[in-house]
Amino acid sequence: MKEILYKGEKADVYVLPCPYLHSFCIGVYLVAGSLYEDIKENGITHLYEHCVFRSIKKKYPSDFYELLTENSISFNASTYKEFVYFEISGLPSGIDLAADIVAKLFDPIELTGAEFQTEKKRIKAEIREESEFTTLQYFADTKVWENTSLANTISGYCGTLDKISLKAINKFRDDTVTKGNVFLYVTGNVSALDIEKIRCAASSMNIGKGGRIKDNVAPVPRSFGARPCEIHFKQSDFCLVRMSFDIDNDFCDTAVRDVLYSALFEGEDALFFQRMSEREPLIYSYDSTLEQYRNISSIKFQYEISSKNLERSFEAVVSILEDIKRGAFRFDNSVKKLSTKWALMRDEAANLNWGMAYMNRILGNTRLELTKDGTSLYKDVKLEAVKEKAAEIFIRKNLVCAVKGKKKSVDTEKLNIILDGLDG
């Protein structure tokens, strides 16, 4: 499967044809998000995404959702820290409507004052419902990304949203929706004629030529790679643990990061699941993520634990990370999991679209090519390289550790001694 690039005057169009699929997916990517926002405008990208969605609906005389159904397509959008993703997917018979939506996507926002306030209310309701500011994740991220834009939230704050005007939204559009900050990725069952229709739609998009091109480079926190040896506490009646390890991408490439993450967290044979859930068991579930930017990354994980087993869980985490440093895991299986994931992704036009665009365009540090066995990205990764990078990453000065629980009942000194074991 070969990716084809069509250079555009306004936006480049990348196409990965999959004629064996029944569906297609057009992904329109706008490089924007909380990564590029200051505290006074935090949440403006997410609000803009909502306004785009609402504004598009008004451009069609009939009921928009019924029109989508009639044409066997769907239209969705999501905002991330570093980009906005607009997805139009469905059966090839809906290409004409899909292309028409693409052409109108970045037109000036034309909402009434009442409609604009409704979108604000939707977002504020989401903020209140999720109670993001009370979570351990938010608390820990303020430590990981200390005093940088990445410490802010994607949705912003209710008070900040109140101060954003419709005029400010359109100014944001003028400054952000510019050549170099927008690209299209097309996957699935698309003919040569379909591709031409999409390219014509891209050339009709309302995209400016000026503006700053954003590069997905994260602001580096002052203590990145030199973290103080402390445990951050948030008072609670139940116990949660969140750990994050800093990674300098200049010294650890994408493929090695993926293998490390896969070995630790992906699948039921992963080291974390086997030790923490199967062999002991200490926990019932966990959340993990590999947060990546062009220059730096972070491996993060979180789990709920009984307070009486808190120390045991710390000992288990240190043991797991020492195992991966020694190469005491099924390296071949970790690589196999990654290749299998990408091989199976070829069966889903939308997942393939997001994955390929993220790896090749948003991150852009490496070139991902799909093969019948998955991807060639991991074929040259060696166990020794993974062990070496694990030894460099999983050390105390790269660790931010946060605990939610009853501080009085926790022996902080003992926990710090356990974590010092990361340095051998």
Side-chain angles (χ1 to χ4, degrees), residues 359-405:
M359 289 289 282
N360 284 354
R361 305 272 79 78
I362 302 296
L363 285 181
N365 289 332
T366 189
R367 192 75 185 146
L368 180 67
E369 294 183 0
L370 296 184
T371 65
K372 65 179 182 179
D373 297 320
T375 173
S376 59
L377 183 62
Y378 309 105
K379 63 182 178 61
D380 295 325
V381 178
K382 306 298 182 187
L383 175 59
E384 287 306 312
V386 175
K387 290 167 56 179
E388 176 187 342
K389 297 308 173 186
E392 294 173 2
I393 293 167
F394 299 118
I395 54 179
R396 194 70 199 271
K397 70 176 186 177
N398 289 330
L399 171 64
V400 175
C401 179
V403 175
K404 196 172 185 179

Side-chain angles (χ1 to χ4, degrees), residues 167-356:
K167 182 179 179 180
I169 284 289
N170 272 311
K171 184 180 185 307
F172 171 85
R173 187 199 74 84
D174 293 342
D175 294 341
T176 305
V177 183
T178 59
K179 182 174 172 56
N181 288 331
V182 178
F183 68 90
L184 282 71
Y185 210 101
V186 182
T187 49
N189 191 338
V190 285
S191 66
L193 179 59
D194 294 334
I195 294 170
E196 186 58 30
K197 290 177 181 177
I198 296 166
R199 291 179 62 196
C200 286
S203 68
S204 300
M205 297 176 87
N206 203 322
I207 295 175
K209 293 185 177 180
R212 179 173 68 91
I213 297 177
K214 301 175 177 65
D215 54 10
N216 193 27
V217 173
V220 181
R222 178 179 50 82
S223 64
F224 185 89
R227 303 293 187 175
C229 295
E230 64 178 305
I231 297 171
H232 305 281
F233 270 89
K234 185 174 179 63
Q235 192 65 25
S236 174
D237 290 333
F238 58 93
C239 193
L240 279 172
V241 175
R242 188 171 183 87
M243 296 190 190
S244 173
F245 286 90
D246 298 335
I247 304 174
D248 186 336
N249 292 355
D250 285 343
F251 302 100
C252 185
D253 66 29
T254 303
V256 173
R257 296 198 301 269
D258 283 353
V259 173
L260 275 173
Y261 183 77
S262 177
L264 283 168
F265 300 112
E266 291 187 325
E268 294 183 351
D269 67 330
L271 292 177
F272 208 82
F273 181 80
Q274 284 295 315
R275 175 64 185 272
M276 301 286 278
S277 185
E278 290 292 290
R279 284 168 50 187
E280 301 256 2
L282 290 169
I283 62 176
Y284 297 106
S285 63
Y286 59 88
D287 295 314
S288 62
T289 186
L290 175 55
E291 185 172 349
Q292 303 180 86
Y293 303 94
R294 292 206 179 196
N295 54 332
I296 58 177
S297 298
S298 179
I299 287 180
K300 302 178 178 183
F301 57 91
Q302 176 174 309
Y303 58 87
E304 184 174 352
I305 188 76
S306 166
S307 57
K308 68 178 181 180
N309 289 330
L310 183 59
E311 291 179 9
R312 283 179 59 201
S313 77
F314 272 52
E315 290 169 345
V317 167
V318 171
S319 176
I320 290 166
L321 297 177
E322 288 303 306
D323 281 348
I324 204 163
K325 291 177 187 179
R326 293 186 296 106
F329 68 99
R330 290 290 302 276
F331 171 74
D332 291 342
N333 272 7
S334 296
V335 176
K336 187 78 170 179
K337 279 187 287 186
L338 291 165
S339 296
T340 299
K341 178 175 72 175
W342 282 101
L344 294 176
M345 200 176 288
R346 295 182 306 171
D347 293 339
E348 297 285 344
N351 290 342
L352 182 62
N353 192 301
W354 194 98
M356 290 293 289

Side-chain angles (χ1 to χ4, degrees), residues 34-185:
S34 55
L35 169 60
Y36 308 102
E37 298 170 355
D38 62 35
I39 190 65
K40 293 180 180 179
E41 64 174 9
N42 184 212
I44 194 170
T45 306
H46 185 230
L47 178 56
Y48 173 69
E49 175 228 306
H50 273 245
C51 290
V52 168
F53 208 93
R54 197 59 46 190
S55 194
I56 282 286
K57 283 182 60 180
K58 296 182 66 176
K59 293 181 180 293
Y60 294 92
S62 59
D63 184 280
F64 182 61
Y65 295 112
E66 288 186 359
L67 188 63
L68 292 174
T69 301
E70 287 172 12
N71 286 270
S72 303
I73 62 173
S74 63
F75 175 45
N76 296 292
S78 299
T79 300
Y80 300 85
K81 287 185 177 182
E82 67 274 48
F83 66 97
V84 185
Y85 173 48
F86 298 96
E87 176 194 294
I88 309 167
S89 58
L91 297 181
S93 58
I95 281 286
D96 286 345
L97 177 59
D100 191 61
I101 293 172
V102 167
K104 294 178 170 68
L105 196 60
F106 294 127
D107 286 353
I109 300 299
E110 297 179 353
L111 299 178
T112 66
E115 290 168 336
F116 184 55
Q117 291 303 318
T118 295
E119 292 313 308
K120 283 188 179 182
K121 289 176 182 177
R122 290 181 199 277
I123 295 173
K124 288 193 283 187
E126 291 174 11
I127 292 171
R128 289 190 293 268
E129 182 180 353
E130 294 172 1
S131 301
E132 186 171 6
F133 308 117
T134 67
T135 65
L136 182 61
Q137 177 180 338
Y138 175 76
F139 174 72
D141 274 358
T142 62
K143 310 301 180 184
V144 173
W145 300 115
E146 49 180 353
N147 300 316
T148 72
S149 58
L150 287 172
N152 298 328
T153 68
I154 292 170
S155 298
Y157 309 85
C158 291
T160 305
L161 291 173
D162 283 335
K163 297 175 183 177
I164 299 174
S165 66
L166 189 54
K167 182 179 179 180
I169 284 289
N170 272 311
K171 184 180 185 307
F172 171 85
R173 187 199 74 84
D174 293 342
D175 294 341
T176 305
V177 183
T178 59
K179 182 174 172 56
N181 288 331
V182 178
F183 68 90
L184 282 71
Y185 210 101

